[in-house]
Amino acid sequence: MKGMYAVYRKEMGHYFVSPVAYVIVAVFLILAAYFFTQLLALYIQRAFEAGLEEGQFGGGAAFDVPSLVMRSFFGVLSTLLLFLTPMLTMGVYAEERRRGTMELLMTSPVTDVQIVLGKFLASITLLVIMLLPTAIGFAYMLHHSEPTAPWRVLGSEYLGVFLLGTALLAIGSFFSSVTESQLIAVILSFGANLLLWVLDFGSQTASSAWASALEYLSAFRHYDDFTRGVIDTSNVIFYLSFIFLGVFLTIRSVDSMRWRRA
Amino acid sequence: MIEVKDLTKRFAEHTAVDHVSFVVNKGEILGFLGPNGAGKTTTMRILTGFLPATSGTAQVAGFDVFNDSLEVRKRIGYLPENPPLYLDMTVTDYLDFVARIKNVPAEKRRARIEDALQKTTITDKRHELIKRLSRGYKQRVGLAQALVHDPEVIILDEPTVGLDPKQIIEVRHLIKGLAGSHTIILSTHILPEVSMTCDRVVIINRGRVAAIDTPANLTTQLKGGQNVRLEVQADQNAACAAIREVPGVRRVSGEPAGGKGRVALMVEVSPGQDVRSQLAAKIVGKGWPLYELRGVNLSLEEIFLQLTTEESEHAAASSN
Ligand SMILES: Nc1ncnc2c1ncn2[C@@H]1O[C@H](COP(=O)(O)OP(=O)(O)O)[C@@H](O)[C@H]1O
Ligand SMILES: [Mg+2]
């Protein structure tokens, strides 16, 4: 426990002195803010046009601007995470291996599990730090919206993006542990993320048995329900098993360094 | 304190460490001397739990390095060949992190860090980022890292490589000061280094132990003649007595080798003499089966030659 906390603390310290983490978080927040304001403007205009039509012709569906903005925004967030999480995790093991500090960790009285969990929890913390400021926009929007806004839906969406992000971090950590090169780590994890993304499309053309298998494996498909405000236990279980598998493989990979490395 | 038995490590086809055995007593400084590629680093990595051995055993403070790896790791301070430094940290932050992963209790951490800073004389650099330090200071931070939890056993892989002559003297002095309260293994490919710092030396070449002795004995042995190792099937005392009769033989010592009544004899020969054919004639004349006869010091001398030339190159390089 103490060993894990020591590793966690060191990783957090590293994130805060490393320009890489700042750049990633800044890029993420700038893009997120841009998409948020664009989506908000778009849907307000749509609602306004819909309101005009309603005035002229009567009837028409009510236009729930906050829900639409939230749903589209969380769709965009998943794409941003797909691009940015590999950069957050690329150095986690690759850099330690290259610098020889892995030898310090692995000859200290901490277990491989403590090393991996400490590092993983630190990357999750950074993900949360990255996501938190986006809540400011929603708090503002929901506070000003009429009628009262769907807080529960927002909660479900944040849960979804947290689970998806954590799963992507698990993938990235694993690929960082198999190489000494950050560049290779980032390429491999980005490739894996993309594959999980396109599985979703593949499932639309494949035959039915394959289609459902591919669909099930697509980490992004399971995300859709969350963005609609539906928390389905099977989706939560999917992400938790995904994360567990990623962490497990990373532990095995760290363990196997003792067998491989010079 | 450390007991290594028949330790062997194979990488694919290549045997990096080949049936190495030695013992390090409590409080002793053991030098691990051998040319590059001899297997020093590999042996140390096995002792620290970084690599598993292919076969053989190693114990540190009574714990097996493979089965009780965590217990062993608690008791070891290790400076790898390349100091494992986090360049973005300050010296104190780095030592604090190492103290934490080495299980130093919170209330002792500060004092331990101060002590390590002082022993390695880097107190004035404590708030510097490690990446801004010179090579010599980085090496000392690496040493401080190996000391910070006050381990029983300290393993140092080529601790003076890349330092200038003045720094080398300081580091040697520091290591000598640690003996007694710590058990130390240090590796080097520089001969004078072991005679200055170590109580005993293991000479290792191509993965095999070539000799284990005190630096003084090794030096006299080298200055003396060539030794011959014999393996004979005979009564030990009779064999020793017979060999002493051969002109040029200075001393004979024997010990049982394997089973079947064989003895291994180490024959010390006067300088400049080659008595191998006379020895063979003597033994065959007695009717004893002869299993082995080889000049030992020749290879030892070769190793030393290599080591000493490296030392002079090293000195030349660092004085430039
Ligand atoms: N991971 C590895 N894979 C293959 N060969 C290795 C590995 N590590 C070391 N070796 C080989 O083992 C031998 C001993 O290396 P090493 O223990 O580093 O020697 P030293 O530290 O005495 O210079 C060398 O020939 C080296 O090439
Ligand atoms: Mg070496």
Side-chain angles (χ1 to χ4, degrees):
Chain A
M1 206 48 206
K2 273 193 188 144
M4 188 177 89
Y5 175 65
V7 173
Y8 173 83
R9 222 174 145 270
K10 187 221 82 178
E11 289 295 303
M12 290 312 294
H14 181 73
Y15 280 131
F16 281 106
V17 296
S18 116
V20 178
Y22 281 112
V23 170
I24 293 168
V25 173
V27 165
F28 173 80
L29 288 177
I30 289 167
L31 288 173
Y34 171 77
F35 282 114
F36 181 75
T37 49
Q38 289 295 307
L39 288 169
L40 192 60
L42 176 75
Y43 285 115
I44 287 176
Q45 194 186 348
R46 290 247 182 100
F48 185 66
E49 286 164 9
L52 281 183
E53 278 173 31
E54 198 179 337
Q56 283 169 356
F57 310 109
F63 217 93
D64 184 358
V65 173
S67 296
L68 286 168
V69 169
M70 280 175 352
R71 199 168 160 203
S72 315
F73 179 74
F74 277 94
V76 170
L77 272 197
S78 69
T79 316
L80 286 182
L81 288 181
L82 183 157
F83 282 95
L84 293 177
T85 51
M87 294 174 205
L88 276 183
T89 51
M90 64 185 180
V92 172
Y93 297 94
E95 190 62 8
E96 298 238 26
R97 288 181 57 171
R98 198 173 65 83
R99 295 235 178 253
T101 46
M102 209 61 204
E103 194 163 352
L104 167 64
L105 295 183
M106 294 178 70
T107 56
S108 294
V110 286
T111 61
D112 295 347
V113 175
Q114 289 172 324
I115 296 173
V116 171
L117 289 183
K119 283 171 170 287
F120 190 55
L121 290 178
S123 67
I124 294 176
T125 309
L126 199 71
L127 174 73
V128 171
I129 291 174
M130 210 159 110
L131 291 174
L132 272 182
T134 62
I136 298 171
F138 289 114
Y140 180 81
M141 182 181 77
L142 295 189
H143 185 71
H144 290 278
S145 64
E146 188 69 43
T148 17
W151 288 98
R152 207 188 50 77
V153 174
L154 187 64
S156 140
E157 284 164 337
Y158 269 113
L159 177 65
V161 84
F162 174 76
L163 287 173
L164 174 71
T166 306
L168 297 182
L169 290 175
I171 295 177
S173 301
F174 170 71
F175 282 113
S176 179
S177 72
V178 301
T179 168
E180 281 183 31
S181 152
Q182 300 200 52
L183 187 63
I184 292 177
V186 83
I187 293 170
L188 288 177
S189 27
F190 182 60
N193 290 1
L194 269 183
L195 190 66
L196 287 173
W197 198 40
V198 297
L199 278 182
D200 201 10
F201 304 137
S203 69
Q204 285 157 20
T205 53
S207 66
S208 63
W210 270 107
S212 51
L214 290 177
E215 193 180 313
Y216 183 74
L217 283 175
S218 166
F220 291 85
R221 168 57 59 98
H222 293 266
Y223 179 65
D224 283 348
D225 287 342
F226 288 103
T227 65
R228 286 197 303 265
V230 180
I231 300 178
D232 183 339
T233 336
S234 73
N235 289 331
V236 175
I237 289 171
F238 171 83
Y239 281 117
L240 290 183
S241 5
F242 199 107
I243 292 161
F244 180 82
L245 182 72
V247 170
F248 176 77
L249 289 177
T250 312
I251 293 169
R252 294 313 312 243
S253 160
V254 168
D255 196 42
S256 78
M257 281 176 209
R258 291 180 207 277
W259 273 255
R260 262 186 293 142
R261 254 222 10 113
Chain B
M1 184 51 82
I2 301 173
E3 236 187 292
V4 174
K5 248 192 233 139
D6 278 330
L7 205 64
T8 300
K9 176 71 188 179
R10 268 188 287 277
F11 292 110
E13 293 299 292
H14 180 75
T15 305
V17 176
D18 194 358
H19 293 280
V20 165
S21 304
F22 61 89
V23 173
V24 195
N25 303 313
K26 197 170 163 59
E28 195 176 40
I29 305 186
L30 181 87
F32 226 61
L33 177 65
N36 288 323
K40 306 182 293 291
T41 299
T42 306
T43 308
M44 292 182 151
R45 283 178 161 170
I46 295 170
L47 286 178
T48 54
F50 187 63
L51 285 177
T54 309
S55 66
T57 58
Q59 290 198 333
V60 174
F63 294 101
D64 185 272
V65 294
F66 187 72
N67 296 320
D68 286 314
S69 179
L70 278 181
E71 291 302 321
V72 171
R73 286 189 250 158
K74 275 182 201 163
R75 289 166 175 78
I76 282 187
Y78 174 40
L79 173 63
E81 212 161 3
N82 306 306
L85 305 173
Y86 292 105
L87 301 179
D88 286 332
M89 287 189 181
T90 65
V91 174
T92 323
D93 284 347
Y94 172 68
L95 292 178
D96 181 71
F97 166 65
V98 177
R100 282 167 191 269
I101 53 167
K102 305 282 183 185
N103 291 339
V104 178
E107 67 275 10
K108 285 198 190 147
R109 225 177 278 142
R110 259 188 105 86
R112 290 299 324 147
I113 293 169
E114 290 305 318
D115 188 52
L117 287 169
Q118 244 166 44
K119 277 193 177 135
T120 52
T121 57
I122 48 175
T123 311
D124 55 327
K125 303 281 182 194
R126 57 190 306 162
H127 298 303
E128 299 245 3
L129 288 178
I130 293 175
K131 66 177 159 204
R132 306 229 189 287
L133 298 178
S134 67
R135 179 80 177 81
Y137 271 106
K138 281 183 182 148
Q139 187 73 15
R140 283 194 252 177
V141 177
L143 265 169
Q145 164 275 133
L147 307 177
V148 73
H149 52 307
D150 200 19
E152 291 171 57
V153 173
I154 300 175
I155 295 183
L156 307 169
D157 198 353
E158 311 231 6
T160 57
V161 148
L163 301 184
D164 66 40
K166 183 169 161 286
Q167 294 166 335
I168 290 179
I169 292 169
E170 284 171 5
V171 167
R172 284 177 187 167
H173 194 73
L174 164 71
I175 293 170
K176 267 201 107 64
L178 294 170
S181 47
H182 306 271
T183 305
I184 303 173
I185 301 185
L186 75 87
S187 77
T188 175
H189 61 273
I190 304 162
L191 179 59
E193 182 141 304
V194 290
S195 45
M196 275 177 246
T197 40
C198 304
D199 301 318
R200 280 190 315 131
V201 186
V202 173
I203 296 176
I204 179 170
N205 191 31
R206 289 167 213 225
R208 289 188 198 194
V209 172
I212 305 183
D213 214 330
T214 62
N217 282 355
L218 283 172
T219 317
T220 41
Q221 210 179 335
L222 275 175
K223 285 184 184 140
Q226 158 205 44
N227 287 4
V228 179
R229 195 189 123 94
L230 290 168
E231 205 176 299
V232 205
Q233 187 169 351
D235 172 60
Q236 186 173 321
N237 291 333
C240 286
I243 286 163
R244 270 192 209 101
E245 293 166 21
V246 176
V249 170
R250 281 207 303 201
R251 229 169 48 151
V252 186
S253 59
E255 56 173 18
K260 299 179 186 164
R262 288 191 210 168
V263 284
L265 301 167
M266 193 54 86
V267 183
E268 260 183 57
V269 186
S270 303
Q273 302 224 23
D274 190 347
V275 296
R276 281 174 291 179
S277 55
Q278 289 95 312
L279 286 173
K282 186 86 185 174
I283 286 159
V284 174
K286 292 269 184 189
W288 296 326
L290 176 61
Y291 287 93
E292 187 181 13
L293 187 158
R294 69 186 154 94
V296 171
N297 248 8
L298 282 177
S299 68
L300 205 71
E301 243 172 284
E302 275 168 16
I303 301 165
F304 267 99
L305 205 62
Q306 204 173 345
L307 296 168
T308 42
T309 43
E310 274 177 15
E311 164 72 357
S312 46
E313 277 167 22
H314 182 83
S318 48
S319 60
N320 286 339

